[in-house]
Amino acid sequence: MRFSLGLLMVLAFGGLASAIEASITIERLLGDGWEIAGYAGNLDVRTSLILFRKKDVKHLVQCSTLYDVTRSQRVVVNCYELR
């Protein structure tokens, strides 16, 4: 029982580590030749969505950004692929 629980934890942490390594950033997208296909802002100017496209890739990438002065990390960016 302990062995299977330990193996499960190792596999879960390994998946988490690979997800952290492969995180998508706006800087990396722009550096790799992606272009902005769309932008949607909010009235309170704290959140926005940016849609990226690349000619030779069939999927899009969307990044949501949040600016919050009450957090220690004021800018939070989350990018993910839309397939």
Side-chain angles (χ1 to χ4, degrees):
M1 177 83 173
R2 285 188 181 186
F3 176 75
S4 61
L5 181 62
L7 180 62
L8 180 64
M9 290 179 66
V10 167
L11 292 174
F13 179 75
L16 178 63
S18 66
I20 291 172
E21 282 180 20
S23 65
I24 304 170
T25 63
I26 294 174
E27 293 84 6
R28 193 176 96 193
L29 288 170
L30 292 173
D32 289 344
W34 289 76
E35 55 188 33
I36 296 176
Y39 173 83
N42 199 343
L43 288 176
D44 63 1
V45 192
R46 291 186 300 169
T47 60
S48 61
L49 294 172
I50 306 170
L51 188 65
F52 291 92
R53 71 175 174 197
K54 193 171 182 180
K55 290 183 180 180
D56 58 342
V57 179
K58 293 187 178 185
H59 64 272
L60 301 172
V61 175
Q62 180 171 307
C63 295
S64 62
T65 61
L66 168 70
Y67 181 76
D68 189 352
V69 295
T70 62
R71 295 182 182 201
S72 61
Q73 181 183 358
R74 293 187 174 189
V75 179
V76 179
V77 179
N78 183 23
C79 297
Y80 43 91
E81 295 178 354
L82 299 174
R83 295 187 180 262

